[in-house]
Amino acid sequence: AMEGGQGYRNPTEVQMSQLVLPCHTNHRGELSIGQLLKWIDTTACLSAERHAGCPCVTASVDDIYFEHTISVGQVVNIKAKVNRAFNSSMEVGIQVCYEDLSSGKQWNVCKAYATFVAQGKLSEMKLKPLAPQTEEEKMEHSIAAERRRMRLAHTDTLKDLLTSSPLQTERENGECNTVVPAGKTRVESVELVLPPHANHQGNTFGGQIMAWMEIVATIAASRLCHAHPTLKTIEMFHFRGPSQVGDRLLLKSIVNNAFKNSMEVGVCVEAYRQEMEVSRRHINSAFMTFVVLDQEGQPITLPMVKPEAGDGERRHREASARKKIRLDRKYIISCEQTKVPLSVPWDQSNKVYLSYNNVSALKTLVAKTNWVLATEIEKVRMYTLEEDKYLSFRIEMTLCIDAKQAFFLLSDLRQRHEWDSHYASAKLVQQVDADDMIYHVLSQTVSQEKKPQDFVILASRRKPCDEGDPYVVAFRSVSLPTHPPNPQYTRGETMCSGFCIWQETAEITKVSYYNQAAPGYLAYVTTNIAGLSSDFYVTFKACERFLQKNKDDVTVGLQNL
């Protein structure tokens, strides 16, 4: 793909094309997912090593959803590139599609994100940063910081859900008469790590371990339903420690829970060196979701699972929680921005994903390259961007203020009425955590129903991850059961708006405000651009005065930030 300039190609991009041969397939002539995982891991690792300039090992892999099965004789095309380098780890984005040679058509199979860690000579190795060039690269680079934050919060999200709410079991016994004791699905298998399974430094390939895990998980799933299962999802997981040539890997798997049409299989990998060794090293655990398809390719109803007492019951409960979290994550994150309803219901278990969605929607808007300067009045610039029925604005000004001070003042919506005449008041209704707040905002704007508007807004703020990153404050509508629409007001909705604040020099800060207007706004605006720009000008001049006036009073607040 020749994007962004003449013959430009990302320097970290690596491509692999493989012809699917009978030796790569299962008994149905479909490419085994284990083999695909090996190819994905190799391509991604080579991309990471191209950037790091030294050997790398797989640290973690995000959720992978497999959309299609691939048949013998087809070609698998894998493309990997480094999205962002942190201190010693990198996020690699991987795109997998397959090609039918007789028709020349291509289909997407999956998209994956993996993290790799550099294994340089120095224990404290600092990777060089990447300079993203194209719009897509800038967007992936910016949002990589959000994905990293989400990976780190993953275990807490599960804990929160298990402690905060009793999970509804999805199945009623009436649907299915068969109950299978979980113990009957248990699989234990051992593998000896040989040189072909490892890199030239003797570390076992992550993809090889994943392939072995997929085999034992498939056997466990088959024991539940006495049929051949199809793997649909591998849940986000990370490698806890390295494994080397000469290790014996003990793989254990069991069906944790079966829902109506899908089941979760847990797999755990431990390593030991000698037969006599008592202590085993936990390499990783993963959760895989399988379905069983009938002749028409539709998922069949599965038997129920009776968990083993103790640990089995805990895993059974956690599988239900993971299913909810996975659906939330898939719905909020992989859904195109324009398809997510404006006000997603906020709750404790999806707060991490809503925060991610809020910030990444704004970062996507910031990375766009086709902004057009509409007006400039006394150094307040207004840009517009038209894209599939949506009109977005960007208001930009440079100020003599510290970026951190501006960030602190602009992220608190309770102060916004002091400079924005569209705001009547804002009340903090929920302090989600240090970075996320939910406000109930009353607007001065009167709706068509001749009533004032109100909003329930999630404000998510982020400090820079690296030098050159802006401070970010993102806003989007959410719905809260405690604040249903009130007949006195017309409930308004904001899809995506917020501030990006860059420290340009020691004294000068660039403040940009972004707003994506809902469809139907386009016709109104194009006829009214002059009125709109003078409105923005008045508002942002007031914003500038507000920031200058209050910048010295925020020192105490900044110390708490």
Side-chain angles (χ1 to χ4, degrees), residues 62 84-91 115 143-154 236 356 465-466:
D62 287 3
R84 183 162 188 159
F86 299 99
N87 288 335
S88 58
S89 69
M90 289 153 281
E91 180 191 274
T115 313
I143 297 174
E146 280 305 293
R147 283 190 288 264
R148 183 188 197 202
R149 188 176 182 274
M150 191 165 61
R151 280 175 208 120
L152 299 173
H154 183 51
M236 185 187 283
Y356 166 91
C465 191
D466 281 328

Side-chain angles (χ1 to χ4, degrees), residues 17-31:
S17 289
Q18 293 278 2
L19 183 61
V20 179
L21 302 172
C23 62
H24 302 136
T25 64
N26 60 20
H27 63 285
R28 289 186 298 232
E30 295 165 352
L31 171 64

Side-chain angles (χ1 to χ4, degrees), residues 354-375:
L354 273 177
S355 179
Y356 166 91
N357 174 277
N358 192 11
V359 175
S360 54
L362 179 61
K363 286 183 165 185
T364 304
L365 204 52
V366 174
K368 298 283 182 195
T369 49
N370 41 347
W371 288 97
V372 177
L373 180 61
T375 58

